[in-house]
Amino acid sequence: MKRIGLFCSGGDAPGMNAAIRAVVRAAVFHHMEVVGIMRGYSGMIKGDFRPLNARSVSGIINRGGTILHTARCPEFMIYKGRKKAYEQLKKAGIEGLVAIGGDGTFRGAHRFTSEFDIPVIGVTGSIDNDCWGTDYTLGFDTAVNVALDAIDRIRDTAASHDRIFFVEVMGRKSGMIALWSGLAGGAESIFIPEARENMTACAREIVEGRKQGKTSAIVVVAEGEEAGGAFEIAKRFQKLTGLDYRVTILGHIQRGGSPTAFDRILGTRSGVAAVEALRKGKKNQMVGIQNGKMVLVPFSRMWNRRKYPDLAWLKIAEMMSV
Ligand code: ADP
């Protein structure tokens, strides 16, 4: 393989740039050319391509977001769009692809490669860490640490003003960020979409805690939690206890910022593994990390499988809030 294409697609995640840098430099090391495809499948259809060399990726390992930009592309969902994309790749002499994205990106890639003869290797870029087949997705560690930093800051105000705070973190379908940042931030209670909401227990613990001298509390809520996020949970809490509260929604700040060492290393190892996989003739697989080792997981095995958080962590959080 002489020339490969590289793109990011779906939601951005910190560490994508580290993966881009690694793909480009590993390819250059092996005397391969890399073409950057701008804005995911959308740029593929338009033929928005830029040659990348070792110097094009200087000074980006520490930057969040993606220098290749990312997008969602409804046109790629239909056959005509995918055919156009394939013709653009052929015209540019691109023989293989590295896709950095989430579940949807790989679903699209899988469909594409079953229709057209081009190998794709995926690198997971997603802050949610809900991708089956890998212990961690790229960007999760950074997002957790951003959320944790915010929780620590909110705790200062909560403690000074004797207040109860409900902090909403990202995760429409996944409670991973809430569980990790909540446990690390010493939250009194954590609400996630994967577990049945237990407001009565949360209210009881906080009221009990106040009787025992606790003057403030932090409750972490995943945005996709079944009751409808932090505002709804907080309202229910007030109805049960009559206590005053504040709500903070962290939102997109969790997606940005300089990636942690963990995400930079995961991005670097994943990018190198993706190039090695293409060189070995592998196709339609995702690069993942399992027990510290880089592994390849076929796209077809990921469908219909969901990664669940360890719900025992909720019990630990409860024990820690006595
Ligand atoms: P993520 O990769 O972060 O999960 P999305 O679910 O938005 O993000 O998917 C990114 C893009 O992948 C979509 O905008 C679309 O272009 C493509 N895609 C997703 N699912 C499919 C599919 N079933 N068939 C073809 N393309 C798809």
Side-chain angles (χ1 to χ4, degrees):
M1 197 172 283
K2 283 265 163 285
R3 186 176 293 162
I4 61 171
L6 168 63
F7 65 96
C8 294
S9 159
D12 70 316
M16 280 182 160
N17 279 328
I20 291 170
R21 171 179 176 269
V23 169
V24 171
R25 296 212 170 148
V28 169
F29 181 85
H30 290 300
H31 312 290
M32 292 156 83
E33 289 174 26
V34 186
V35 176
I37 300 166
M38 303 303 291
R39 297 179 179 83
Y41 294 122
S42 166
M44 204 183 284
I45 291 170
K46 288 186 192 130
D48 190 358
F49 301 155
R50 310 196 175 164
L52 297 173
N53 60 40
R55 297 287 75 76
S56 330
V57 291
S58 296
I60 65 165
I61 194 168
N62 54 331
R63 282 167 53 190
T66 156
I67 59 162
L68 295 177
H69 296 230
T70 182
R72 296 202 159 87
C73 175
E75 218 185 329
F76 200 76
M77 306 289 273
I78 53 170
Y79 179 79
K80 219 171 110 190
R82 294 193 292 276
K83 185 163 180 282
K84 226 192 249 168
Y86 180 70
E87 285 161 5
Q88 294 283 16
L89 296 176
K90 279 277 116 184
K91 208 160 81 183
I94 294 169
E95 299 161 283
L97 291 169
V98 176
I100 306 173
D103 204 56
T105 300
F106 301 153
R107 219 169 263 272
H110 182 62
R111 219 164 159 190
F112 190 49
T113 52
S114 56
E115 292 163 343
F116 303 97
D117 184 28
I118 184 141
V120 184
I121 298 293
V123 169
T124 61
S126 168
I127 63 166
D128 289 334
N129 200 26
D130 56 351
C131 193
W132 188 87
T134 185
D135 293 345
Y136 299 102
T137 55
L138 200 49
F140 171 67
D141 187 64
T142 306
V144 166
N145 280 291
V146 170
L148 180 60
D149 179 60
I151 291 167
D152 287 347
R153 286 164 195 262
I154 288 165
R155 182 176 288 286
D156 290 347
T157 300
S160 304
H161 287 265
D162 302 330
R163 272 204 180 122
I164 299 157
F165 266 87
F166 290 82
V167 184
E168 184 178 297
V169 301
M170 274 187 158
R172 246 175 281 156
K173 290 186 228 140
S174 164
M176 288 281 193
I177 296 177
L179 209 48
W180 281 63
S181 62
L183 198 57
E188 267 60 34
S189 227
I190 303 168
F191 288 84
I192 60 173
E194 295 90 342
R196 276 186 63 137
E197 173 228 296
N198 194 345
M199 175 46 79
T200 323
C202 165
R204 194 181 50 232
E205 279 156 28
I206 291 177
V207 169
E208 208 46 51
R210 283 178 98 79
K211 282 188 200 151
Q212 285 167 25
K214 262 197 188 186
T215 54
S216 65
I218 303 244
V219 178
V220 174
V221 184
E223 63 177 327
E225 179 284 329
E226 63 176 335
F231 277 109
E232 280 310 310
I233 286 285
K235 267 193 238 156
R236 284 189 193 194
F237 172 81
Q238 194 182 39
K239 225 170 167 185
L240 275 177
T241 64
L243 292 170
D244 194 18
Y245 65 86
R246 294 288 184 276
V247 173
T248 303
I249 312 279
L250 298 187
H252 281 82
I253 64 157
Q254 293 158 93
R255 288 244 295 251
S258 187
T260 56
F262 182 89
D263 277 331
R264 295 183 200 192
I265 291 167
L266 181 60
T268 303
R269 291 180 75 196
S270 303
V272 169
V275 172
E276 299 293 356
L278 281 176
R279 289 185 71 237
K280 285 185 191 144
K282 307 270 184 203
K283 53 182 174 180
N284 311 341
Q285 312 207 27
M286 173 199 84
V287 174
I289 183 165
Q290 291 176 9
N291 300 319
K293 296 219 162 23
M294 303 314 292
V295 293
L296 289 173
V297 182
F299 288 150
S300 55
R301 282 188 64 203
M302 298 168 55
W303 311 148
N304 308 322
R305 285 193 167 95
R306 231 189 119 187
K307 185 160 82 185
Y308 279 93
D310 184 353
L311 297 185
W313 288 31
L314 291 174
K315 189 74 199 163
I316 297 175
E318 191 189 325
M319 287 166 74
M320 292 301 106
S321 70
V322 289

